[in-house]
Amino acid sequence: VLLTGASGVLGGRIALRLAERCTVIAARHSTAPAGGVSVDLDLASPASVARAFREALPDAVVHSAALADVDACERDPERAFRVNVGGTEAIARAAAERGLHLVTLSTDTVFPGDGGLQGEDATPRPLQVYGRTKVAAEAAALGLCPGAAVARVCLVTGRGHGPRGTASESIAWALRDGRPLRLFTDQYRTPVDADSVAEALALLLERRGHGIYHLAGPERVSRHALGLRVAALLGLPAAGLEPVRYADQPSAGPRPADLGLDASRARDELGWTPRSLEAAIRLGRAAPDIIAPRS
Ligand SMILES: NC(=O)c1ccc[n+]([C@@H]2O[C@H](COP(=O)([O-])OP(=O)(O)OC[C@H]3O[C@@H](n4cnc5c(N)ncnc54)[C@H](OP(=O)(O)O)[C@@H]3O)[C@@H](O)[C@H]2O)c1
């Protein structure tokens, strides 16, 4: 399997899970990816994508790489579209030319967060540049590569990879270091842990799943409630958690408020069962990994 984004906080966990069942060829961008064999790949360059496919000669593709920093996408929409949409188009074309099964990752923030649990047939209406690039990337994957699957992932918790933490790890590291944290009481998500996402992707590859699948955890929580759960479960002081209302931050720009995904399709068709939020929080790392920069 050719895996893009294998150095990512989620992508690194996908690399480890897939390596249990097949040979993973990790696409290398600026950081050493998780996994043994690698090929160079820059999503911003269609020629680089084509070359990576020629070198890797994969049987299937998992496309996890993206410019996934919401604020960076807002600051530089042109780059966000080039990497997230142009890159996915190049991947989808290369996979289609070779008749390969493509599984590509997307996000819950294709939805505006109006409340309720969104099913796969709900109409996307992103509020931000990042979500808009992902909607276009989904269309490219599904439109250009017959039989492709799109996995829309909620806020990621649990054990991550590399120097950045998952949502639950980042909270734990801040509390452990005595750093204060302001967390929204009025922003809700259905968080899912990275290893459960990786398991769903392995199942999608095995069963050649196609179309859109929502990957969400079993609980809906606010960001602040997530912070309190992390503190309580890991025995960390909750005093540094400051509850704030997103609605009271006029300069912050639009963000989805109440955003949940309904993961019934993945549960029913793939037999997928995501971990509980409690198990996910307990799985988190006590400290970030150190990743070697590219030599
Ligand atoms: N983490 C979450 O909470 C979350 C939630 C919903 C959906 N997702 C989606 O899940 C996927 C994986 O997320 P993640 O958390 O692992 O992201 P991440 O930690 O931000 O990692 C991004 C990955 O993309 C690679 N990348 C960035 N620009 C690239 C380029 N121009 N060419 C090739 N590779 C490039 C990075 O490689 P370098 O480091 O080498 O640059 C890195 O491996 C993304 O599609 C994201 O949109 C994530």
Side-chain angles (χ1 to χ4, degrees), residues 209-232:
H210 63 276
I212 300 173
Y213 289 81
H214 283 180
L215 303 180
E219 272 189 70
R220 170 184 170 275
V221 286
S222 75
R223 299 257 185 188
H224 184 254
L226 176 63
L228 292 176
R229 289 284 280 282
V230 169

Side-chain angles (χ1 to χ4, degrees), residues 5 7 9-11 29-31 42-43 64 66 130 134 153 156 164:
S7 63
V9 62
L10 170 57
H29 181 230
S30 60
T31 323
D42 180 1
L43 289 173
S64 182
Y130 171 58
K134 288 300 219 175
V153 178
V156 171
R164 281 199 310 121

Side-chain angles (χ1 to χ4, degrees), residues 4-12 14 27-33 41-45 63-69 79 83-84 104-109 130 134 151-157 161 164-167 197:
T4 69
S7 63
V9 62
L10 170 57
I14 298 170
R28 173 194 284 261
H29 181 230
S30 60
T31 323
L41 186 153
D42 180 1
L43 289 173
S45 157
H63 178 35
S64 182
L67 190 59
D69 179 327
R79 177 172 167 235
V83 172
N84 291 353
T104 193
L105 277 84
S106 190
T107 167
D108 54 355
T109 57
Y130 171 58
K134 288 300 219 175
R152 287 191 186 135
V153 178
C154 280
L155 181 71
V156 171
T157 56
H161 171 82
R164 281 199 310 121
T166 63
V197 172

Side-chain angles (χ1 to χ4, degrees), residues 1-208:
V1 173
L2 175 62
L3 170 65
T4 69
S7 63
V9 62
L10 170 57
R13 299 304 297 174
I14 298 170
L16 287 179
R17 181 69 191 88
L18 296 185
E20 291 171 15
R21 296 193 197 182
C22 55
T23 302
V24 175
I25 303 161
R28 173 194 284 261
H29 181 230
S30 60
T31 323
V37 190
S38 66
V39 290
D40 285 343
L41 186 153
D42 180 1
L43 289 173
S45 157
S48 154
V49 172
R51 193 165 50 243
F53 273 76
R54 283 198 300 276
E55 284 174 26
L57 295 175
D59 294 320
V61 185
V62 174
H63 178 35
S64 182
L67 190 59
D69 179 327
V70 172
D71 297 322
C73 290
E74 288 296 315
R75 282 193 302 274
D76 193 346
E78 189 276 327
R79 177 172 167 235
F81 273 90
R82 186 158 25 93
V83 172
N84 291 353
V85 186
T88 305
E89 283 171 359
I91 297 264
R93 281 204 177 91
E97 271 170 23
R98 291 165 175 77
L100 306 178
H101 185 212
L102 168 65
V103 179
T104 193
L105 277 84
S106 190
T107 167
D108 54 355
T109 57
V110 297
F111 297 114
D114 293 338
L117 295 183
Q118 307 301 315
E120 284 85 357
D121 54 358
T123 306
R125 189 162 55 80
L127 299 180
Q128 296 164 298
V129 171
Y130 171 58
R132 286 202 284 280
T133 66
K134 288 300 219 175
V135 172
E138 290 182 356
L142 297 173
L144 296 172
C145 187
V150 167
R152 287 191 186 135
V153 178
C154 280
L155 181 71
V156 171
T157 56
R159 189 178 189 86
H161 171 82
R164 281 199 310 121
T166 63
S168 57
E169 286 177 332
S170 303
I171 292 169
W173 298 346
L175 295 181
R176 202 160 273 155
D177 297 349
R179 280 182 277 126
L181 264 187
R182 305 175 81 220
L183 293 176
F184 297 126
T185 53
D186 55 350
Q187 210 180 62
Y188 294 88
R189 297 291 184 264
T190 45
V192 64
D193 72 287
D195 290 333
S196 293
V197 172
E199 180 59 25
L201 299 176
L203 290 167
L204 279 172
L205 282 178
E206 204 175 273
R207 315 242 170 117
R208 270 191 99 92

